[in-house]
Amino acid sequence: MPPLASRADIEYCRRLVQRSDLDGYLVSLFSPRAAREAVWAVRALNVEVVRAATGPEAAARLRLAFWRDSVQRMYTDTPDRTPIARCVHDAVHRHSISRTWLKRLVAERELRLGPADAAAAGFATVADVERYGERAYACLLHPHLEALGVRDMHADNAARAIGVATAIAATARSLPLLLAHRRCDLPADLVARHAVDLDDLYAAPRPTPQLQAAVYDLATRAYTRLCGAAEVYAPAAPPAAFPALLTAVPVKHWLERLEAANFDVFDRRLQRRELSLMWHLWRASRRRTWADASK
């Protein structure tokens, strides 16, 4: 089947990902061109799905329903007439990308919707964050692997571990913004274990010893996942999988910066983009491992 997307459509997706998902964009540059364009399409879809899940619950559900139906049509000969739909359509037909991953992008966001009550959409345990990462974040890596022609158990296990670490890092990274809006995605078990006073933090968002201890526990779980994937799964995966597994590098790099900030998520340095990230990605790509990639 001839491609439907124009060069303008591909450029639209590229720019959207570069602007809204810079880490994913930089990782994509280490993939061959055909796979790279498929990654831009899937990540552009994810950007729009994440946007759709914001705002009032009823409106968010309507927007996500649109994307759920749009994903279904991407697997037919008549996708929606939008740049993202055409680009994803071409990617799934060219690389046989599983429908499961793209449906999950939407489904997991729908599951996270809840009433405006801050506790409703939160995580009860760290294990809940890990399960969310396996489904909502790893489903961005699996299409990348398929675009690279990789269907391998070890690569899939590495993708799941990286997805978990990414979700945990994103949870920690979002704390300053969420607390300012009287919300918190920090798992309730960590809040209880470290006696984090959320009411106090809602009133005056700031670093506290209790919050830093909870963030330390959370970050340690993510770092352990990345190290395990680097030592066990990535070496056993096909070499062609490694461009997708480079997704671990930005996560590891941010976690190490968090450690340098003494697990203070309010440290302004953590909100800045590090120009050295591209060098860390290049180094990890050359060494075929992200172990100590940001040292």
Side-chain angles (χ1 to χ4, degrees):
M1 180 177 187
L4 299 182
S6 66
R7 292 309 306 175
D9 291 337
I10 296 169
E11 179 65 8
Y12 174 87
C13 291
R14 185 194 72 79
R15 290 189 176 186
L16 179 59
V17 175
Q18 184 183 34
R19 184 171 61 251
S20 304
D21 180 8
L22 183 59
D23 288 351
Y25 176 75
L26 293 178
V27 169
S28 75
L29 299 180
F30 291 85
S31 292
R33 177 177 172 177
R36 188 163 62 235
E37 292 178 354
V39 171
W40 294 339
V42 172
R43 286 192 172 268
L45 170 63
N46 184 61
V47 168
E48 292 297 343
V49 168
V50 170
R51 288 176 177 172
T54 60
E57 181 191 359
R61 290 196 183 279
L62 287 174
R63 290 191 294 266
L64 288 173
F66 164 80
W67 283 110
R68 187 189 336 116
D69 294 341
S70 183
V71 166
Q72 289 290 96
R73 290 189 288 270
M74 291 170 192
Y75 284 82
T76 71
D77 293 341
T78 54
D80 291 345
R81 296 180 179 180
T82 66
I84 292 175
R86 287 190 291 265
C87 287
V88 175
H89 167 274
D90 289 355
V92 301
H93 286 83
R94 180 173 186 174
H95 302 287
S96 300
I97 292 173
S98 171
R99 191 188 309 247
T100 299
W101 313 128
L102 304 190
K103 288 174 63 178
R104 196 173 284 177
L105 281 177
V106 181
E108 289 303 312
R109 296 292 172 180
E110 288 179 311
L111 288 173
R112 289 281 294 146
L113 288 179
D117 181 349
F123 296 105
T125 67
V126 177
D128 289 336
V129 183
E130 292 179 323
R131 280 189 288 272
Y132 181 64
E134 285 186 353
R135 298 179 66 83
Y137 284 87
C139 63
L140 290 172
L141 274 76
H142 292 299
H144 195 161
L145 289 168
E146 291 179 343
L148 292 166
V150 175
R151 286 169 171 78
D152 173 80
M153 177 183 68
H154 299 294
D156 286 342
N157 286 336
R160 281 192 289 272
I162 295 167
V164 167
T166 306
I168 291 174
T171 299
R173 202 168 188 165
S174 68
L175 282 172
L177 178 62
L178 290 182
L179 287 170
H181 290 84
R182 301 186 64 81
R183 290 189 55 202
C184 180
D185 277 349
L186 196 65
D189 60 346
L190 287 185
V191 171
R193 184 184 311 158
H194 296 284
V196 179
D197 188 338
L198 290 181
D199 288 333
D200 178 52
L201 289 173
Y202 292 153
R206 67 196 187 283
T208 65
Q210 295 82 2
L211 180 60
Q212 286 170 260
V215 170
Y216 167 80
D217 273 6
L218 197 61
T220 299
R221 292 282 282 266
Y223 202 84
T224 300
R225 287 284 191 157
L226 291 181
C227 291
E231 294 168 5
V232 178
Y233 299 129
F242 201 75
L245 303 185
L246 282 171
T247 304
V249 175
V251 182
K252 182 172 182 286
H253 185 49
W254 189 82
L255 289 170
E256 289 174 344
R257 292 169 60 204
L258 177 64
E259 180 184 23
N262 195 28
F263 302 96
D264 173 9
V265 293
F266 291 90
D267 191 309
R268 292 179 181 272
R269 292 172 295 178
L270 295 175
Q271 306 304 321
R272 295 200 296 260
R273 290 289 178 183
E274 287 281 310
L275 296 178
S276 62
L277 177 56
M278 195 65 178
W279 181 84
H280 293 311
L281 284 164
W282 174 83
R283 183 168 179 255
S285 178
R286 290 292 299 270
R287 297 172 65 236
R288 313 300 294 179
T289 181
W290 58 84
D292 300 320
S294 54
K295 297 294 187 182

